[in-house]
Amino acid sequence: INAEYRGGLNCKACHHCVLSMQHFLVFVFAVLLFGGANGVPIVVNTWPFTAATERAFQVVMTNASAMDGLVAGCTVCEEMQCDGTVGFGGSPDENGETTLEALVFDGTNMDMGAVASLRRVKNVIAVARAVMDYTSHSILAGDLATKFAVQMGFKEEDLSTDGSISMWDQWKKNTQCQPNFWRNVMPDSTTACGPYTRQQKTATLTSSSSSS
């Protein structure tokens, strides 16, 4: 049984899954290779992104590895910006920048690789695989993840699009930066945009006296 991010399956060779999150989208993608002379690969996708599923199947049918198929399929979704939330141009952060996350897991050896808040690199799933293949880390994040990606030969480029910039502008101008994840800050994060500072807490002094 190969236990993975979403559980386990009885399969003889490989079960991989990927977590690619922007605006809380969880995209789970699995490639299963069953042994035997008549064994047929199975590609499982939790979302109706058929082009990605078909591409993964095409790759594994060439006797490539399940991981090769997984990365190829997910790359299709990154390029197509599936559902508007996978890949570049997705939901921006509060500074207007789109960043990317991805995780790959290899059920044959329980190895994994992940990146979080990856900046300025589009092929996030391949970078996550590179973390697994070329480092002993589990996860790299932020600018250090970008630096690693560039060292591995990935192109550094802007991840924003007209759509993501428009989304950010509307969030700031039309909703006063709502929703956001700030609390206990000034100005009031439920009614105003930042920048924010820590809310000063008023100290309460209690005096007591006793007599004997």
Side-chain angles (χ1 to χ4, degrees), residues 166-191:
S166 175
M167 191 185 309
W168 179 64
D169 284 337
Q170 292 177 26
W171 175 75
K172 286 178 69 72
K173 296 175 181 177
N174 298 345
T175 68
Q176 288 298 297
C177 302
Q178 303 303 311
N180 63 64
F181 300 98
W182 291 91
R183 64 179 180 179
N184 302 322
V185 292
M186 299 176 59
D188 184 352
S189 61
T190 64
T191 60

Short mmCIF file of all heavy atoms in Angstrom, two decimals, residues 166-191:
data_model
loop_
_atom_site.label_atom_id
_atom_site.label_comp_id
_atom_site.label_asym_id
_atom_site.label_seq_id
_atom_site.Cartn_x
_atom_site.Cartn_y
_atom_site.Cartn_z
N SER A 166 -6.15 43.07 -12.49
CA SER A 166 -7.50 43.62 -12.36
C SER A 166 -8.17 43.09 -11.11
O SER A 166 -8.86 43.83 -10.39
CB SER A 166 -8.33 43.27 -13.60
OG SER A 166 -9.66 43.69 -13.46
N MET A 167 -7.98 41.80 -10.81
CA MET A 167 -8.55 41.20 -9.62
C MET A 167 -8.04 41.90 -8.36
O MET A 167 -8.78 42.19 -7.42
CB MET A 167 -8.18 39.71 -9.58
CG MET A 167 -8.90 38.89 -8.53
SD MET A 167 -8.27 37.19 -8.47
CE MET A 167 -8.37 36.71 -10.21
N TRP A 168 -6.75 42.18 -8.36
CA TRP A 168 -6.12 42.84 -7.21
C TRP A 168 -6.63 44.28 -7.08
O TRP A 168 -6.94 44.73 -5.97
CB TRP A 168 -4.60 42.82 -7.39
CG TRP A 168 -3.84 43.48 -6.29
CD1 TRP A 168 -3.78 43.09 -4.98
CD2 TRP A 168 -3.01 44.64 -6.40
NE1 TRP A 168 -2.94 43.92 -4.27
CE2 TRP A 168 -2.46 44.88 -5.12
CE3 TRP A 168 -2.65 45.47 -7.47
CZ2 TRP A 168 -1.60 45.94 -4.88
CZ3 TRP A 168 -1.79 46.53 -7.23
CH2 TRP A 168 -1.28 46.77 -5.95
N ASP A 169 -6.72 45.00 -8.20
CA ASP A 169 -7.23 46.38 -8.16
C ASP A 169 -8.65 46.42 -7.61
O ASP A 169 -8.99 47.29 -6.79
CB ASP A 169 -7.21 46.99 -9.57
CG ASP A 169 -5.81 47.39 -10.02
OD1 ASP A 169 -4.95 47.59 -9.13
OD2 ASP A 169 -5.58 47.49 -11.24
N GLN A 170 -9.51 45.50 -8.04
CA GLN A 170 -10.88 45.48 -7.55
C GLN A 170 -10.93 45.17 -6.06
O GLN A 170 -11.74 45.73 -5.33
CB GLN A 170 -11.69 44.44 -8.34
CG GLN A 170 -11.92 44.82 -9.79
CD GLN A 170 -12.66 43.74 -10.55
OE1 GLN A 170 -13.40 42.96 -9.96
NE2 GLN A 170 -12.45 43.69 -11.86
N TRP A 171 -10.07 44.26 -5.62
CA TRP A 171 -10.02 43.91 -4.19
C TRP A 171 -9.66 45.12 -3.34
O TRP A 171 -10.23 45.35 -2.28
CB TRP A 171 -9.01 42.78 -4.00
CG TRP A 171 -8.75 42.38 -2.57
CD1 TRP A 171 -9.57 41.66 -1.75
CD2 TRP A 171 -7.57 42.68 -1.80
NE1 TRP A 171 -8.98 41.48 -0.52
CE2 TRP A 171 -7.75 42.10 -0.53
CE3 TRP A 171 -6.39 43.38 -2.09
CZ2 TRP A 171 -6.79 42.20 0.47
CZ3 TRP A 171 -5.43 43.47 -1.09
CH2 TRP A 171 -5.63 42.89 0.17
N LYS A 172 -8.73 45.92 -3.83
CA LYS A 172 -8.30 47.09 -3.06
C LYS A 172 -9.32 48.23 -3.13
O LYS A 172 -9.66 48.84 -2.10
CB LYS A 172 -6.94 47.60 -3.58
CG LYS A 172 -5.77 46.72 -3.18
CD LYS A 172 -4.48 47.26 -3.75
CE LYS A 172 -4.07 48.56 -3.11
NZ LYS A 172 -3.60 48.37 -1.74
N LYS A 173 -9.82 48.50 -4.33
CA LYS A 173 -10.65 49.70 -4.51
C LYS A 173 -12.12 49.46 -4.19
O LYS A 173 -12.79 50.34 -3.63
CB LYS A 173 -10.50 50.20 -5.94
CG LYS A 173 -9.09 50.66 -6.29
CD LYS A 173 -8.97 51.02 -7.77
CE LYS A 173 -7.56 51.45 -8.13
NZ LYS A 173 -7.42 51.73 -9.59
N ASN A 174 -12.64 48.31 -4.56
CA ASN A 174 -14.07 48.08 -4.44
C ASN A 174 -14.49 47.42 -3.13
O ASN A 174 -15.66 47.52 -2.74
CB ASN A 174 -14.57 47.20 -5.60
CG ASN A 174 -14.36 47.88 -6.95
OD1 ASN A 174 -14.11 49.07 -7.02
ND2 ASN A 174 -14.48 47.11 -8.01
N THR A 175 -13.58 46.74 -2.47
CA THR A 175 -13.96 46.01 -1.25
C THR A 175 -13.16 46.43 -0.03
O THR A 175 -13.31 45.82 1.02
CB THR A 175 -13.78 44.50 -1.45
OG1 THR A 175 -12.39 44.18 -1.56
CG2 THR A 175 -14.51 44.01 -2.69
N GLN A 176 -12.31 47.45 -0.18
CA GLN A 176 -11.46 47.86 0.95
C GLN A 176 -10.65 46.69 1.50
O GLN A 176 -10.57 46.46 2.72
CB GLN A 176 -12.30 48.50 2.05
CG GLN A 176 -12.83 49.88 1.71
CD GLN A 176 -11.68 50.88 1.46
OE1 GLN A 176 -10.88 51.19 2.33
NE2 GLN A 176 -11.62 51.38 0.22
N CYS A 177 -10.09 45.93 0.56
CA CYS A 177 -9.19 44.83 0.92
C CYS A 177 -9.87 43.72 1.72
O CYS A 177 -9.25 43.12 2.61
CB CYS A 177 -7.96 45.35 1.68
SG CYS A 177 -7.02 46.57 0.74
N GLN A 178 -11.12 43.44 1.37
CA GLN A 178 -11.84 42.35 2.03
C GLN A 178 -12.09 41.21 1.04
O GLN A 178 -12.44 41.47 -0.12
CB GLN A 178 -13.19 42.87 2.56
CG GLN A 178 -13.09 44.04 3.51
CD GLN A 178 -12.23 43.74 4.71
OE1 GLN A 178 -12.39 42.69 5.37
NE2 GLN A 178 -11.30 44.65 5.01
N PRO A 179 -11.88 39.95 1.49
CA PRO A 179 -11.40 39.56 2.80
C PRO A 179 -9.88 39.62 2.87
O PRO A 179 -9.20 39.72 1.86
CB PRO A 179 -11.86 38.11 2.91
CG PRO A 179 -11.81 37.62 1.48
CD PRO A 179 -12.22 38.80 0.63
N ASN A 180 -9.35 39.56 4.09
CA ASN A 180 -7.91 39.42 4.31
C ASN A 180 -7.71 38.60 5.58
O ASN A 180 -8.69 38.19 6.23
CB ASN A 180 -7.22 40.79 4.40
CG ASN A 180 -7.70 41.61 5.58
OD1 ASN A 180 -7.52 41.24 6.74
ND2 ASN A 180 -8.35 42.74 5.29
N PHE A 181 -6.48 38.37 5.93
CA PHE A 181 -6.19 37.46 7.04
C PHE A 181 -5.52 38.16 8.22
O PHE A 181 -4.95 37.52 9.09
CB PHE A 181 -5.33 36.29 6.54
CG PHE A 181 -6.00 35.50 5.46
CD1 PHE A 181 -5.70 35.73 4.13
CD2 PHE A 181 -6.96 34.57 5.75
CE1 PHE A 181 -6.33 35.04 3.12
CE2 PHE A 181 -7.60 33.86 4.75
CZ PHE A 181 -7.28 34.10 3.43
N TRP A 182 -5.59 39.48 8.25
CA TRP A 182 -5.01 40.25 9.34
C TRP A 182 -5.98 40.31 10.53
O TRP A 182 -7.20 40.26 10.35
CB TRP A 182 -4.70 41.67 8.89
CG TRP A 182 -3.59 41.76 7.90
CD1 TRP A 182 -3.69 41.73 6.55
CD2 TRP A 182 -2.19 41.89 8.20
NE1 TRP A 182 -2.45 41.83 5.96
CE2 TRP A 182 -1.50 41.93 6.96
CE3 TRP A 182 -1.46 41.98 9.38
CZ2 TRP A 182 -0.12 42.06 6.88
CZ3 TRP A 182 -0.09 42.11 9.29
CH2 TRP A 182 0.57 42.14 8.06
N ARG A 183 -5.43 40.45 11.73
CA ARG A 183 -6.24 40.69 12.92
C ARG A 183 -5.36 41.34 13.98
O ARG A 183 -4.13 41.23 13.94
CB ARG A 183 -6.85 39.40 13.45
CG ARG A 183 -5.85 38.36 13.93
CD ARG A 183 -6.56 37.13 14.45
NE ARG A 183 -5.62 36.12 14.92
CZ ARG A 183 -6.00 34.95 15.44
NH1 ARG A 183 -7.28 34.66 15.52
NH2 ARG A 183 -5.09 34.09 15.86
N ASN A 184 -6.02 42.01 14.91
CA ASN A 184 -5.32 42.68 16.01
C ASN A 184 -4.29 43.68 15.48
O ASN A 184 -3.16 43.75 15.98
CB ASN A 184 -4.64 41.67 16.94
CG ASN A 184 -5.62 40.67 17.53
OD1 ASN A 184 -6.75 41.03 17.87
ND2 ASN A 184 -5.20 39.42 17.66
N VAL A 185 -4.69 44.43 14.44
CA VAL A 185 -3.77 45.39 13.82
C VAL A 185 -4.46 46.74 13.66
O VAL A 185 -5.68 46.87 13.80
CB VAL A 185 -3.29 44.89 12.44
CG1 VAL A 185 -2.40 43.67 12.57
CG2 VAL A 185 -4.47 44.61 11.52
N MET A 186 -3.64 47.73 13.36
CA MET A 186 -4.14 49.07 13.06
C MET A 186 -3.66 49.47 11.67
O MET A 186 -2.50 49.21 11.34
CB MET A 186 -3.62 50.07 14.11
CG MET A 186 -4.05 49.77 15.52
SD MET A 186 -3.32 50.92 16.72
CE MET A 186 -3.93 52.50 16.12
N PRO A 187 -4.54 50.10 10.82
CA PRO A 187 -5.96 50.34 11.06
C PRO A 187 -6.76 49.05 11.11
O PRO A 187 -6.22 47.96 10.88
CB PRO A 187 -6.36 51.19 9.85
CG PRO A 187 -5.42 50.76 8.78
CD PRO A 187 -4.11 50.53 9.48
N ASP A 188 -8.05 49.15 11.40
CA ASP A 188 -8.93 48.00 11.52
C ASP A 188 -8.96 47.24 10.20
O ASP A 188 -9.43 47.75 9.18
CB ASP A 188 -10.34 48.47 11.90
CG ASP A 188 -11.30 47.31 12.13
OD1 ASP A 188 -10.92 46.16 11.86
OD2 ASP A 188 -12.43 47.58 12.58
N SER A 189 -8.49 45.99 10.20
CA SER A 189 -8.36 45.22 8.96
C SER A 189 -9.70 44.77 8.40
O SER A 189 -9.77 44.31 7.25
CB SER A 189 -7.48 44.00 9.19
OG SER A 189 -8.05 43.15 10.18
N THR A 190 -10.78 44.92 9.16
CA THR A 190 -12.10 44.53 8.65
C THR A 190 -12.76 45.66 7.86
O THR A 190 -13.79 45.45 7.22
CB THR A 190 -13.03 44.11 9.80
OG1 THR A 190 -13.28 45.24 10.66
CG2 THR A 190 -12.43 42.98 10.60
N THR A 191 -12.18 46.84 7.89
CA THR A 191 -12.79 47.97 7.21
C THR A 191 -11.82 48.77 6.35
O THR A 191 -12.24 49.65 5.60
CB THR A 191 -13.43 48.94 8.23
OG1 THR A 191 -12.41 49.43 9.13
CG2 THR A 191 -14.52 48.25 9.02
#
